[in-house]
Amino acid sequence: MDKILIQGGIALAGEVHISGAKNAALPILAATLLSSEIHRLKNVPRLGDITTLKRLLEKIGAEISEKDDYCEIQVKHIKNNEAPYSWVKTMRATILVLGPLLARCGEAHVSLPGGCAIGARPIQLHLMGLEKMGAEITIEHGIIHAKAAKLKGAAIYLETPTVTGTETLMMAAALAEGTTTIENAACEPEIGDLAHFLNHCGAQIIGAGTDHIVINGVSALSGASYEVMPDRIEAGTFMLAAAITKGDLHLKNCRPADMISIIEKCRTTGSEIRVEKDALRVLGKEIHAVDLKTLPYPGLPTDMQAQFMALMSVSDGASVITETIFESRFNHCAELRRMGADIRVEGKHAMIKGVPRLSAAPIMASDLRASASLILAGLVAEGETEIRRIYHLDRGYEAIEQKLTDVGAVIQRVKGKA
Ligand code: EPU
């Protein structure tokens, strides 16, 4: 298995081009199943998770060709309306094909995802919403069987604002008969991006990105050309790379308006952040201890919690980080402790006492954002940090070593045996 070696202690400086958002590209790719026409998608990041979904779409019947700066995709016919366990176990977001398959061909058989490193991650709200729209759903031998000759618009209330749940229901409702409303919908910007894409295809969706979404079903969708939004979590991760190394990074092609909570929290820790039109300049200065709590959008994203933990590990005082979204998203703490961080975890809370320096150690990544946190820690640790299990990182950060090298980091991937 590959590993990453990082020499700590270098202040990063220069420009970073932020890639397209993984969590917007995934539902948009799944949504291409809703139409038989050609789609041209720009700014789709080259990532492990995106490749996994593209391969599954091909099994289902998509023809995909990669051009210089866009990807062309067409699903003329659905050859196969299944997503078996072998796919779902590699990436839970493959569940995103359930709604579109059901809406397009009246039947779908998708393996029920299990839990993962960060929590149990149920999907009962996705299924409840589809049932409200008239789907008959059974689960047998770990497979969700969903059937509906024609989905019908419905009034759906989500007890918890689920991101992929909202996306699943929005995609299904786009081709349903009549109007669907989703109350207490998740408000993440990626949901707005999916709705923009669907509306480019002829869907009628109003209010995506707020907690009240109205979808007027249409009989068919066309193809569309669309550019995926920038990745606010990748941008936030580089923001903290500037903060932790006391560097100066200019993040190009990002959307500051989607990142208010991350920007404000990073400012409170002592960094100077200049907001530009499609860019951010981050100047790392002092690192003050601040408390923080993850919340659904527009609160601080859970996908930034691990990276803030690395920053707080070298702050000037004591802080408390509260994780309210996922029940076991503190796997990085034990690894940060191996590097000298002073972190105590009790339930949803992590108490961190900032230390003057971290020291390099061999450590292991446990999930995508935990890997990013370890990279940040490695960038300031004394000595050479060795991070194993970095396949997690490749699922969600495009060309991360190259981007870090370009701004001065000494980072190297060592190829290992498979
Ligand atoms: N939940 C339920 N029932 C459901 C669905 C969700 O109780 O039926 C709960 C979950 O247990 C959790 C909360 O709702 O406590 C929020 O989970 P959500 O469903 O919103 O998460 P998700 O859709 O599975 C997406 C992102 C995650 C990100 C979360 C939260 C994608 C592909 N994944 O997951 O991204 O952490 O929203 O913002 O969009 C990542 O990129 O590293 C990542 C994990």
Side-chain angles (χ1 to χ4, degrees):
M1 261 182 269
D2 294 2
K3 58 186 179 185
I4 276 184
L5 303 176
I6 309 178
Q7 195 67 47
I10 297 164
L12 303 185
E15 269 183 25
V16 181
H17 182 89
I18 301 303
S19 299
K22 165 178 86 77
N23 289 349
L26 288 169
I28 288 173
L29 283 167
T32 62
L33 292 171
L34 289 165
S35 156
S36 59
E37 296 185 11
I38 298 182
H39 302 280
R40 288 194 180 88
L41 302 178
K42 281 183 96 166
N43 212 27
V44 176
R46 290 169 202 272
L47 298 170
D49 277 6
I50 297 290
T51 307
T52 304
L53 186 57
K54 283 181 178 166
R55 296 296 83 84
L56 173 60
L57 293 178
E58 282 171 341
K59 290 259 173 225
I60 291 174
E63 281 166 34
I64 303 181
S65 54
E66 304 291 345
K67 310 287 177 187
D68 271 357
D69 69 337
Y70 66 93
C71 147
E72 204 167 79
I73 173 159
Q74 180 174 26
V75 196
K76 268 194 217 143
H77 308 287
I78 304 279
K79 288 193 303 212
N80 172 7
N81 57 11
E82 292 174 10
Y85 187 57
S86 51
W87 291 91
V88 178
K89 77 174 181 348
T90 23
M91 183 184 68
R92 343 173 12 93
T94 46
I95 189 71
L96 284 164
V97 302
L98 174 64
L101 278 179
L102 181 61
R104 170 105 180 248
C105 49
E107 200 168 323
H109 308 276
V110 176
S111 174
L112 184 67
C116 73
I118 64 176
R121 308 191 69 184
I123 59 149
Q124 88 283 7
L125 296 171
H126 307 216
L127 305 184
M128 173 280 291
L130 294 173
E131 280 178 333
K132 281 232 160 170
M133 293 168 73
E136 230 178 79
I137 294 186
T138 51
I139 298 175
E140 268 172 40
H141 308 298
I143 296 167
I144 306 162
H145 301 281
K147 281 189 190 166
K150 183 76 189 159
L151 290 168
K152 303 252 184 329
I156 300 169
Y157 165 72
L158 298 175
E159 199 173 272
T160 305
T162 155
V163 174
T164 46
T166 303
E167 291 163 348
T168 293
L169 299 175
M170 220 166 64
M171 291 188 278
L175 285 184
E177 205 173 86
T179 299
T180 299
T181 53
I182 310 176
E183 297 294 344
N184 200 29
C187 304
E188 271 66 7
E190 291 75 13
I191 296 167
D193 210 42
L194 169 64
H196 282 145
F197 167 69
L198 288 168
N199 286 344
H200 271 67
C201 301
Q204 291 184 15
I205 303 174
I206 305 154
T210 75
D211 62 0
H212 174 77
I213 305 178
V214 179
I215 305 119
N216 293 312
V218 295
S219 55
L221 291 174
S222 62
S225 292
Y226 194 75
E227 180 165 345
V228 175
M229 66 179 277
D231 197 312
R232 64 197 168 99
I233 306 300
E234 187 199 13
T237 303
F238 277 99
M239 184 184 288
L240 296 200
I244 204 167
T245 65
K246 301 192 173 155
D248 175 358
L249 291 182
H250 203 173
L251 312 181
K252 296 289 185 108
N253 182 43
C254 57
R255 241 201 243 167
D258 294 336
M259 300 176 60
I260 310 269
S261 63
I262 307 172
I263 293 172
E264 286 310 316
K265 193 49 83 174
C266 188
R267 272 191 180 134
T268 328
T269 68
S271 290
E272 182 184 333
I273 300 179
R274 297 183 198 154
V275 174
E276 299 166 8
K277 190 168 165 283
D278 294 317
L280 282 169
R281 172 100 183 262
V282 190
L283 295 105
K285 297 195 164 162
E286 298 96 38
I287 305 178
H288 303 311
V290 296
D291 293 346
L292 58 96
K293 189 192 222 177
T294 62
L295 287 169
Y297 190 85
L300 192 75
T302 172
D303 292 345
M304 285 300 301
Q305 180 259 108
Q307 300 89 315
F308 270 106
M309 179 91 69
L311 184 68
M312 289 303 94
S313 300
V314 289
S315 77
D316 61 5
S319 55
V320 179
I321 294 186
T322 306
E323 170 59 55
T324 74
I325 309 292
F326 292 116
E327 61 276 23
S328 55
R329 209 172 199 182
F330 280 142
N331 297 316
H332 40 285
C333 297
E335 302 302 299
L336 290 172
R337 275 200 292 264
R338 300 198 67 245
M339 302 175 75
D342 183 346
I343 305 174
R344 190 161 55 87
V345 174
E346 270 179 33
K348 294 175 167 191
H349 309 287
M351 275 67 74
I352 307 119
K353 280 192 200 139
V355 295
R357 60 173 191 91
L358 296 175
S359 63
I363 46 177
M364 242 178 339
S366 53
D367 64 79
L368 172 56
R369 308 303 169 187
S371 323
S373 152
L374 301 181
I375 295 266
L376 294 179
L379 287 170
V380 282
E382 212 170 76
E384 187 177 73
T385 298
E386 178 185 302
I387 310 178
R388 290 172 181 262
R389 297 203 182 153
I390 52 154
Y391 50 84
H392 293 292
L393 197 67
D394 297 331
R395 295 179 58 170
Y397 287 91
E398 185 174 54
I400 190 163
E401 300 116 86
Q402 191 55 52
K403 290 186 185 189
L404 284 169
T405 304
D406 291 347
V407 292
V410 178
I411 179 167
Q412 183 197 351
R413 179 181 295 243
V414 179
K415 291 269 172 208
K417 293 189 195 97

